[in-house]
Amino acid sequence: MSCDFLSLARPGVQKLSPYVPGKPVEELAREFGLQAQDIVKLASNENPMGPSPAVKAAIAAALPELTRYPDGNGFALKQALAERLGVATDSITLGNGSNDILELVTRAFVGPEHEVIFSDHAFAVYPIVTQAVGAKAVSVPAKNWGHDLVAMAAAITESTRLIFIANPNNPTGTWIERAELEAFLAKVPERVIVVLDEAYTEYVETDDVPNGMDYLAQYPNLLVSRTFSKAYGLAAIRVGYGVSCAAIADALNRVRQPFNVNALALAAALAALQDEAYLIESRRLNRAGMQQLEDGCAAQGLSWIPSRGNFLAIDLGREAAPIFQALLREGVIVRPVANYGMPNHLRVTVGLPEENQRFLDALKRVMLRG
Ligand SMILES: *Cc1c(COP(=O)(O)O)cnc(C)c1O
């Protein structure tokens, strides 16, 4: 008999459900005896274009230096980001993906005596990082699947230390408009840190969605997090960043691992930032693919939650789990979101036109079958 180590873990950790990622292509290929090239994965909001050639070249150029530790301060990348965003370099924190930033801010500021507020149907990492530090998670009911910022502000107590907001939100695709965000920020006491998670901001093409950078000067308790995993097409290399007042960045810098962003990631992100054409093409592809998915769903009599991201939460009007399973057998991986309190929805990432069509055709077949 081995020791029950889980009972030794801290209470918050014992109650944690681990993050469930999108099913990897190789795993499905193994399980169903399919060929990897016949599988379509639209499950993790990745950019379907593959990495930009400029990024691949930058990674190749960094290979000869792999025996050296990376620049632990990420000087060149921070410099480029600061210039691009119009902020000071000491306001930037680099992360091993933006998940790293979400965890760093929680570890630096939140303890078991605190409460952390987020929305129902919001990104699954928020409850995970909250419980990991033993804090109390306060999940606020959503409004039309999106964040109810009025209710979230009303949920603030003396114990609240952190609030997570995703704009646009994953998995719903819902967004917060400028006036709502401004009214909310004005109500939050300065001792409460607001994390505005803008993982999908590069996909936003309408001006109804606010840009977090516009509020940093006015709100020192604001931290905006962004990532190279989505529109920049670099999910595998793990790099993201936070922008905040220098004092918050200083706290994050104290708790992070000394070399939390590796050398290939630093080189890749720097090159990605300079490849404006890739981003423009990514947006164009996303716009067309979103239209294709919406048209396809409408043709099948299905509704969806309007989205400003690169994914769509489709309402199947019935339990989605069996449909998800049937789609797997068709070689199509999407994302079930029952663990987000959305048992009738499937979240589908916008892919290449032929991938979107594969999904729509497979969905039609499996929905008809039963
Ligand atoms: C994908 C995603 C992230 C970022 O993940 P990283 O790959 O760690 O940068 C952060 N927030 C939301 C809401 C996401 O959907």
Side-chain angles (χ1 to χ4, degrees):
M1 276 305 281
S2 65
C3 175
D4 177 13
F5 285 107
L6 198 53
S7 70
L8 301 181
R10 290 180 307 144
V13 175
Q14 290 184 35
K15 280 181 265 156
L16 261 180
S17 319
Y19 182 79
V20 184
K23 197 177 188 65
V25 167
E26 294 72 22
E27 188 178 304
L28 182 65
R30 270 198 311 275
E31 284 177 10
F32 290 82
L34 300 169
Q35 295 297 317
Q37 68 267 20
D38 295 332
I39 294 173
V40 168
K41 184 188 179 212
L42 301 173
S44 301
N45 301 344
E46 296 137 336
N47 188 323
M49 297 202 322
S52 116
V55 166
K56 285 198 255 188
I59 292 172
L63 290 176
E65 295 302 321
L66 282 189
T67 62
R68 308 275 174 214
Y69 277 99
D71 175 4
N73 289 317
F75 178 83
L77 179 57
K78 278 191 192 174
Q79 195 81 21
L81 282 168
E83 224 165 273
R84 174 66 56 92
L85 302 170
V87 299
T89 49
D90 65 0
S91 67
I92 298 174
T93 307
L94 301 180
N96 193 269
S98 59
N99 274 305
D100 196 17
I101 302 295
L102 306 179
E103 195 193 321
L104 289 176
V105 67
T106 311
R107 270 186 21 230
F109 288 96
V110 184
E113 69 276 29
H114 293 129
E115 296 175 2
V116 175
I117 298 174
F118 43 82
S119 174
D120 282 359
H121 320 301
F123 190 40
V125 166
Y126 310 153
I128 291 176
V129 296
T130 300
Q131 278 178 250
V133 298
K136 182 180 170 197
V138 179
S139 189
V140 174
K143 196 173 71 182
N144 296 327
W145 299 108
H147 291 54
D148 182 345
L149 289 189
V150 173
M152 288 175 75
I156 296 172
T157 70
E158 282 302 310
S159 304
T160 306
R161 176 51 56 81
L162 190 62
I163 303 178
F164 284 111
I165 295 174
N167 197 32
N169 182 45
N170 169 21
T172 57
T174 50
W175 64 97
I176 291 157
E177 300 199 345
R178 193 167 288 115
E180 280 179 273
L181 181 68
E182 288 172 3
F184 172 80
L185 289 173
K187 278 189 272 189
V188 179
E190 199 171 279
R191 63 178 166 79
V192 177
I193 296 171
V194 176
V195 174
L196 187 61
D197 178 346
E198 295 189 331
Y200 300 95
T201 190
E202 294 85 4
Y203 279 116
V204 173
E205 297 196 271
T206 54
D207 55 15
D208 50 354
V209 184
N211 177 342
M213 298 301 150
D214 296 344
Y215 302 95
L216 288 165
Q218 194 181 351
Y219 294 105
N221 57 331
L222 178 65
L223 170 80
V224 180
S225 67
R226 293 188 176 176
T227 182
F228 286 92
S229 297
K230 305 289 163 52
Y232 286 105
L234 293 175
I237 210 151
R238 315 302 307 133
V239 54
Y241 58 95
V243 189
S244 63
C245 70
I248 290 180
D250 176 33
L252 304 196
N253 190 45
R254 292 172 194 224
V255 296
R256 74 178 173 88
Q257 287 186 33
F259 303 100
N260 60 332
V261 183
N262 72 70
L264 301 185
L266 290 171
L270 189 59
L273 208 54
Q274 283 150 5
D275 192 350
E276 193 65 29
Y278 180 87
L279 211 54
I280 291 169
E281 177 58 15
S282 300
R283 280 197 205 103
R284 189 202 62 73
L285 194 70
N286 190 57
R287 196 183 320 130
M290 185 68 84
Q291 191 64 53
Q292 184 186 6
L293 288 178
E294 291 184 351
D295 291 347
C297 287
Q300 297 185 38
L302 297 173
S303 63
W304 59 86
I305 303 172
S307 169
R308 286 282 186 275
N310 64 335
F311 55 91
L312 198 59
I314 301 170
D315 185 355
L316 302 185
R318 65 204 225 199
E319 202 199 342
I323 303 297
F324 165 71
Q325 288 297 336
L327 286 170
L328 287 182
R329 261 171 249 118
E330 302 271 338
V332 176
I333 312 174
V334 296
R335 194 67 160 267
V337 283
N339 56 335
Y340 287 88
M342 303 170 69
N344 288 359
H345 286 80
L346 284 180
R347 192 196 69 191
V348 183
T349 303
V350 175
L352 299 171
E354 57 274 24
E355 294 176 321
N356 300 328
Q357 200 55 52
R358 270 277 308 272
F359 160 71
L360 288 168
D361 292 345
L363 181 66
K364 192 171 185 175
R365 276 196 301 277
V366 304
M367 290 288 280
L368 282 175
R369 228 184 275 147

